[in-house]
Amino acid sequence: MAEIVALRKWDRREPQIAWDSESPLSMDIETRMGEIKTRHGRFVGGASDNVEVVEIDTGVMRVIVLPTRGMSIWKIEAEGIRFGWDSPVTGPVHPSQVPLFDPSGLGWLEGFDELVVRCGLESNGAPEFDEAGKLKYPLHGRIGNLAADSLSIEYDEASGRLELIGEVIESRLFFKRLRMRTRLRVHAGGYRVDLLDDVTNELSTPATMQLLYHINVGSPILKPGAVLEAACEELAPKDALSASELETWNQFGEPESGYQERVYFANLVCDDSSETTAMLRSAEKNRGMAVTFNVSQLPNFILWKNTGAKSDGYVVGMEPATNFPNTRSFEAEQGRVVTIEAADTVSFRLSLEVLTDETAVEKVSSRIKSLSAIHAPQIHDDPKVGWSL
């Protein structure tokens, strides 16, 4: 009888992680709120080879962070529920394997499989080409494929707070030097992840930037009957194809082979603190993921609806952003770029909450309903001038 000895398998990446028990970032911390455990390691072999990984276990939730990929969150697990998606790209893919500047401008897609990936910092939208057809800005920018240059953990035993801190630098001689210092914050026994990002312009002249948080959720949260709840102040389809499905823009059906993405642009209603919340919840209303963010920092919201066949990537993206993901020059013309003076810093704050039961889902749903009562939504039947190219 033939025998097979497998070193690794393409569809099971986690066993490829070589955990380093001697790393200063691998620790068990006793706090007044409970225990937090962290592990630090690297993937070995294949397209994931040498991707650095940090796992944080709050006691009820496990968060896997990829410092090599711009401090992205690969996935979250809680109560036996996986929060993430099944990308046709089996990652995480090391940035050296991602052809960002492929002539098509779409090379970014060859590394895309995270739950949360940042897009930016110079640009965050569609690829853009010059008059000669040469690529100027690749799809979704570079920050998600840049490695953190510094990495540390800070914690407080009294409050049960732990922060994973990384700094990623996007730079080019004579053109830019943007430093993103990100803090990923959790608490012992907690189901929430706070992302606190500060971007500093380290050159002596003003700079402009864009930032988009691509938050991607698939099965088991996404399935027929799932709904995106958000308090829309104004909403418009990105294009004619998206307009054709406007009546069901926030509803999701069966995986459909050949389905082409639909995209919806929105501004959301906020509370007195300028905060708003959106939630993707399951059909049974007993599971979901919520994102809360400050609209003074991230004024725009995008829904990416990509309910293709499961093998093609059955997924929905919730995307708070500084702008809409059109070409950078178009967004600059509309005034949707962030200016940072020399040596100044701009801050962005966002929270993710994994929802594992009906009570948690209902609590978030009630908050969104209260925001919806503030302002009747303005829904455009067609793409809005100034929002879409």
Side-chain angles (χ1 to χ4, degrees):
M1 178 181 291
E3 294 184 4
I4 298 176
V5 178
L7 176 63
R8 55 181 176 265
K9 295 185 178 181
W10 67 269
D11 59 343
R12 297 182 65 237
R13 290 295 203 224
E14 278 197 62
Q16 291 180 225
I17 301 173
W19 297 108
D20 181 4
S21 61
E22 301 301 317
S23 168
L25 300 187
S26 297
M27 60 183 76
D28 294 355
I29 305 165
E30 291 289 345
T31 79
R32 292 183 181 177
M33 306 303 295
E35 186 180 28
I36 296 184
K37 298 180 180 181
T38 65
R39 292 197 290 177
H40 179 223
R42 292 181 183 273
F43 285 83
V44 177
S48 301
D49 191 48
N50 213 35
V51 171
E52 191 174 19
V53 57
V54 177
E55 178 189 84
I56 304 170
D57 188 339
T58 70
V60 296
M61 174 181 69
R62 192 168 68 103
V63 184
I64 300 180
V65 186
L66 306 173
T68 304
R69 292 189 52 80
M71 297 295 290
S72 296
I73 299 176
W74 189 34
K75 61 182 176 180
I76 296 175
E77 293 182 353
E79 306 292 335
I81 305 167
R82 189 278 307 261
F83 294 83
W85 64 297
D86 295 316
S87 171
V89 175
T90 304
V93 179
H94 194 280
S96 64
Q97 304 296 315
V98 181
L100 276 187
F101 287 91
D102 181 275
S104 69
L106 301 177
W108 184 90
L109 295 172
E110 296 192 26
F112 177 38
D113 87 325
E114 296 101 332
L115 168 64
V116 181
V117 57
R118 296 168 182 81
C119 302
L121 294 170
E122 186 176 27
S123 64
N124 68 10
E128 183 171 352
F129 305 84
D130 64 18
E131 294 179 357
K134 184 178 179 180
L135 181 65
K136 290 175 61 179
Y137 303 112
L139 175 70
H140 291 327
R142 297 180 60 211
I143 196 67
N145 283 278
L146 295 175
D149 282 301
S150 68
L151 193 62
S152 61
I153 286 176
E154 294 183 3
Y155 61 90
D156 179 65
E157 295 173 343
S159 65
R161 172 181 55 82
L162 181 142
E163 292 183 355
L164 176 65
I165 304 168
E167 294 189 4
V168 184
I169 299 174
E170 183 176 322
S171 62
R172 176 175 290 184
L173 181 63
F174 305 130
F175 291 93
K176 61 180 176 178
R177 183 176 171 88
L178 298 170
R179 181 188 298 269
M180 183 184 73
R181 184 175 191 267
T182 180
R183 288 174 288 154
L184 184 149
R185 176 185 294 166
V186 299
H187 287 79
Y191 292 90
R192 192 181 74 189
V193 179
D194 297 321
L195 299 179
L196 304 92
D197 293 342
D198 299 306
V199 179
T200 301
N201 172 21
E202 297 190 333
L203 292 186
S204 63
T205 54
T208 57
M209 63 156 291
Q210 300 177 318
L211 184 60
L212 179 150
Y213 294 85
H214 217 304
I215 304 165
N216 313 290
V217 183
S219 302
I221 309 304
L222 178 64
K223 57 184 176 180
V227 172
L228 185 284
E229 295 187 12
C232 290
E233 180 177 301
E234 189 173 7
L235 180 137
K238 175 183 180 290
D239 50 31
L241 182 60
S242 303
S244 70
E245 206 171 278
L246 186 62
E247 289 187 2
T248 56
W249 72 272
N250 66 334
Q251 301 169 36
F252 310 102
E254 296 279 356
E256 180 184 334
S257 178
Y259 186 92
Q260 298 182 47
E261 65 178 20
R262 273 69 160 169
V263 179
Y264 301 92
F265 294 162
N267 293 151
L268 304 187
V269 181
C270 64
D271 61 19
D272 292 339
S273 299
S274 297
E275 287 196 337
T276 192
T277 299
M279 171 179 64
L280 178 68
R281 60 140 175 97
S282 66
E284 299 84 1
K285 301 183 181 181
N286 62 351
R287 296 175 178 177
M289 169 162 277
V291 53
T292 297
F293 58 97
N294 191 303
V295 301
S296 65
Q297 304 162 349
L298 299 163
N300 304 115
F301 180 79
I302 301 96
L303 172 66
W304 175 52
K305 188 174 182 179
N306 192 55
T307 52
K310 285 190 175 182
S311 60
D312 299 336
Y314 183 62
V315 63
V316 164
M318 300 182 286
E319 305 173 13
T322 59
N323 57 286
F324 296 122
N326 299 300
T327 61
R328 191 186 195 281
S329 62
F330 177 81
E331 290 298 291
E333 290 169 3
Q334 307 305 317
R336 290 191 292 264
V337 293
V338 177
T339 298
I340 316 177
E341 297 299 328
D344 275 1
T345 298
V346 293
S347 299
F348 304 93
R349 303 290 183 259
L350 178 148
S351 295
L352 301 171
E353 187 176 2
V354 296
L355 312 169
T356 60
D357 58 41
E358 293 181 5
T359 300
V361 171
E362 177 55 32
K363 182 178 179 181
V364 175
S365 185
S366 295
R367 167 171 164 73
I368 294 172
K369 288 175 183 176
S370 67
L371 291 172
S372 298
I374 296 174
H375 191 287
Q378 180 182 6
I379 308 294
H380 299 272
D381 293 332
D382 300 302
K384 180 180 176 180
V385 175
W387 281 18
S388 295
L389 275 166

